[in-house]
Amino acid sequence: MIEKFISHRGNLYKKDVERENKLNSIYDVINKGFDCEIDTWVINDKIFLGHDEPLLEVDSKVLLDFKEYLWIHCKNLDALNYFSIHSENEFNYFWHQKDDFTLTSKNFIWTYPYKNFSENSVIVDLIHTVEINKKAYGLCSDNIYEAKNIY
C-alpha cells in the first residue's frame, strides 16, 4: 500500500535530535534504502540544515548527489526561492507549516497527520497512529524501520 518510505530528518528508530539533519544520518538512511526528508534554510546564499534554525552549512553539490532521495522542507522564503530558481536540478522541495496539504515541486501531496490522503500522498505519521487502509505514495516517519514493517 506504501511505495516510498521516508525517514523524517534522518531518524531511523525514534525521534533523535542528535541524528536529525546531519549529513551522516542522511547518508545512513539513504544507504539503508530509504528516502530522507530534510530541513533547509538559505541565509546569504548559503544552504544550511536544521529544523528550528540553520545549524549545519551544506554544499549544494552534496544535495545534488542525493537529490533523487531527498524531500527538501524549505524552512524560510530564501530556501524556497533558492530551490525554485534552481529547478533545473530537479530537487523535490516544499514549504509547509500546519497546512493540511502542500504540493511538492514534483507534484506529490505532503499530507499532515490525521488528514485524508490519496494515492499520490505522502503521509506524515511520525509515531504510526494513522490507519492506512488504502494506497498512498509514501510515508514519512521517525521510526522508518517500524513503519516499513507495519505497512
Side-chain angles (χ1 to χ4, degrees):
M1 286 220 240
I2 304 291
E3 184 174 329
K4 188 72 69 173
F5 290 90
I6 305 162
S7 166
H8 185 238
R9 303 182 195 147
N11 291 314
L12 280 172
Y13 301 104
K14 63 180 179 171
K15 180 176 176 59
D16 182 352
V17 293
E18 296 301 315
R19 281 189 63 90
E20 292 185 351
N21 291 301
K22 303 283 186 346
L23 289 176
N24 287 341
S25 301
I26 294 164
Y27 298 148
D28 187 31
V29 298
I30 291 170
N31 286 330
K32 287 179 169 45
F34 301 108
D35 280 13
C36 191
E37 180 266 352
I38 60 173
D39 298 316
T40 61
W41 302 77
V42 172
I43 311 287
N44 298 324
D45 294 321
K46 295 179 183 175
I47 302 170
F48 294 86
L49 299 175
H51 177 64
D52 293 322
E53 61 185 329
L55 296 173
L56 173 69
E57 187 175 351
V58 62
D59 190 302
S60 63
K61 291 176 188 165
V62 171
L63 298 182
L64 276 170
D65 287 343
F66 295 100
K67 71 180 177 184
E68 64 192 87
Y69 307 104
L70 297 177
W71 297 74
I72 300 172
H73 182 176
C74 299
K75 300 299 275 189
N76 65 348
L77 178 59
D78 287 342
L80 189 60
N81 186 58
Y82 175 88
F83 289 105
S84 68
I85 287 172
H86 294 90
S87 61
E88 75 279 0
N89 292 327
E90 299 180 11
F91 287 112
N92 187 18
Y93 61 93
F94 62 96
W95 160 271
H96 89 105
Q97 287 194 309
K98 295 189 178 177
D99 330 358
D100 291 353
F101 312 100
T102 194
L103 194 61
T104 76
S105 62
K106 292 201 173 187
N107 294 316
F108 292 101
I109 303 167
W110 195 262
T111 306
Y112 205 71
Y114 309 110
K115 301 301 176 184
N116 197 11
F117 59 90
S118 72
E119 63 186 27
N120 197 41
S121 293
V122 173
I123 304 162
V124 177
D125 186 15
L126 303 180
I127 55 173
H128 316 136
T129 55
V130 174
E131 183 178 331
I132 299 176
N133 54 11
K134 61 183 179 181
K135 184 179 180 196
Y137 179 75
L139 184 125
C140 181
S141 172
D142 280 332
N143 186 340
I144 202 64
Y145 276 118
E146 181 180 73
K148 191 167 185 180
N149 287 335
I150 291 172
Y151 305 112

